[in-house]
Amino acid sequence: MDSKASSLLFIAFLCLISTSTAFNSTKILAQYPEFANFNDLLSQSGLAQEMNSRQTITVLVLDNGSIDGLSGRPLDIAKRILSAHVILDYYDQIKLSKLQKASTIVTTLYQASGVADNRQGFLNISRTAEGIKFGSAMKGAPLVASLVKSIYSQPYNISVLQVSEPIETPGIENMAPPPPPGTAAVPKKAPAPAPSTKTPPAAPPTAKTPAKSPAKSPSKAPAPSKEGPSTPTKAPAEGPVAADGPVAAGGPVADVPAESPEADTEVAEEAPAVAPAKAASSRMHVAGATVVIGLFACIMGF
């Protein structure tokens, strides 16, 4: 039992090794000298190593006369063009003759590079009256390459088909080269925005604090009269001089003693507010008495 189990493990290991190294494209093409230039370009560009890491491919090869146009180009551009000649599927001459559709779109190794734009990484295989034609799957691209013959096949790992001329993919020469393995792409900095000439939007209106109702001011006191406070009227310093002679019968005239101005001032200051009224009344009595005396004197004179 142990020996049988060991034998099965050994066979499985051999199958695993044979599967991981299904083919070597460089050794296969080395058997055909007419494809030597094509094979050299695969090795120089490193494309042969990428091809050998695949399990199933179809290589559209060019003979030495047809590859001359690619040999003079930069190596990175030649690699892009050649990677579009490697289909990630198995197609031999028999399978091509059995295609049901007039046009079949297939994926190439250039699509797997991650730098293909739009449909640059796809090929169009078409059945025409002139035979099988190959061309880029880009819109409007012509079918330029014709199938010449089958060179090598190892079902279903690798098939080598010869085509008449290179398949030019529109825009493939202007694409940026893929970054080296293990190198993270540095993101490009976004350009600084141009200064805006637009007026910035007005700030949203803030809620206004309700104005406090003004406190009612106390009623103003009535403005004082322009006329100043009434000054108490001083009593006359001297009363009217009585005529020499007997006093008239109208009543004795009060003899108002003469007072000094200082006395008047003191009296005025000390007199209460009703003093002016009394002084006026006294003057009226004195004036009345004087009139009566005058009349009496006139009568007596006659």
Side-chain angles (χ1 to χ4, degrees):
M1 295 292 295
D2 292 339
S3 59
K4 289 182 179 180
S6 300
S7 301
L8 292 175
L9 289 175
F10 181 72
I11 294 172
F13 181 72
L14 291 178
C15 293
L16 181 64
I17 294 177
S18 61
T19 303
S20 60
T21 57
F23 56 84
N24 187 317
S25 59
T26 303
K27 289 183 177 181
I28 293 172
L29 292 176
Q31 304 174 29
Y32 307 94
E34 63 271 29
F35 305 117
N37 293 343
F38 186 91
N39 195 20
D40 290 343
L41 201 53
L42 292 179
S43 300
Q44 294 172 13
S45 63
L47 193 58
Q49 185 176 357
E50 295 181 24
M51 292 164 58
N52 295 338
S53 64
R54 298 282 173 172
Q55 295 297 316
T56 303
I57 61 172
T58 298
V59 187
L60 305 179
V61 297
L62 300 164
D63 60 18
N64 296 334
S66 302
I67 196 66
D68 289 343
L70 296 179
S71 300
R73 299 188 185 186
L75 195 59
D76 60 330
I77 294 177
K79 180 179 180 179
R80 295 177 214 168
I81 296 174
L82 291 181
S83 63
H85 289 68
V86 181
I87 301 172
L88 300 182
D89 200 353
Y90 180 84
Y91 285 93
D92 55 16
Q93 198 165 8
I94 298 174
K95 185 176 180 179
L96 289 175
S97 63
K98 294 181 179 180
L99 291 176
Q100 300 296 324
K101 297 180 180 180
S103 295
T104 302
I105 305 300
V106 296
T107 307
T108 68
L109 193 59
Y110 183 61
Q111 179 66 23
S113 66
V115 298
D117 186 23
N118 202 352
R119 305 185 73 180
Q120 288 179 329
F122 299 93
L123 286 184
N124 179 12
I125 305 176
S126 296
R127 292 187 294 106
T128 67
E130 300 174 356
I132 302 295
K133 295 276 189 178
F134 298 88
S136 172
M138 291 285 287
K139 186 177 181 180
L143 299 171
V144 294
S146 301
L147 176 63
V148 178
K149 60 182 178 181
S150 176
I151 303 299
Y152 178 85
S153 62
Q154 179 183 324
Y156 291 93
N157 298 121
I158 183 172
S159 173
V160 180
L161 302 174
Q162 181 183 356
V163 293
S164 59
E165 56 187 289
I167 302 170
E168 296 284 350
T169 302
I172 197 171
E173 296 187 18
N174 300 325
M175 301 301 297
T183 303
V186 179
K188 295 182 180 179
K189 292 184 178 180
S196 176
T197 56
K198 295 183 179 179
T199 305
T206 56
K208 294 185 178 179
T209 305
K212 295 183 179 180
S213 58
K216 294 184 179 179
S217 59
S219 302
K220 294 184 179 180
S225 174
K226 292 183 179 180
E227 299 179 356
S230 58
T231 305
T233 307
K234 293 182 180 180
E238 296 181 358
V241 180
D244 293 337
V247 180
V253 178
D255 186 11
V256 180
E259 295 180 359
S260 64
E262 290 82 1
D264 292 341
T265 304
E266 292 177 359
V267 172
E269 291 178 354
E270 295 176 0
V274 296
K278 291 182 179 180
S281 177
S282 299
R283 286 199 299 270
M284 291 177 64
H285 288 291
V286 172
T290 303
V291 172
V292 171
I293 292 171
L295 293 174
F296 180 78
C298 288
I299 297 170
M300 290 300 291
F302 284 110

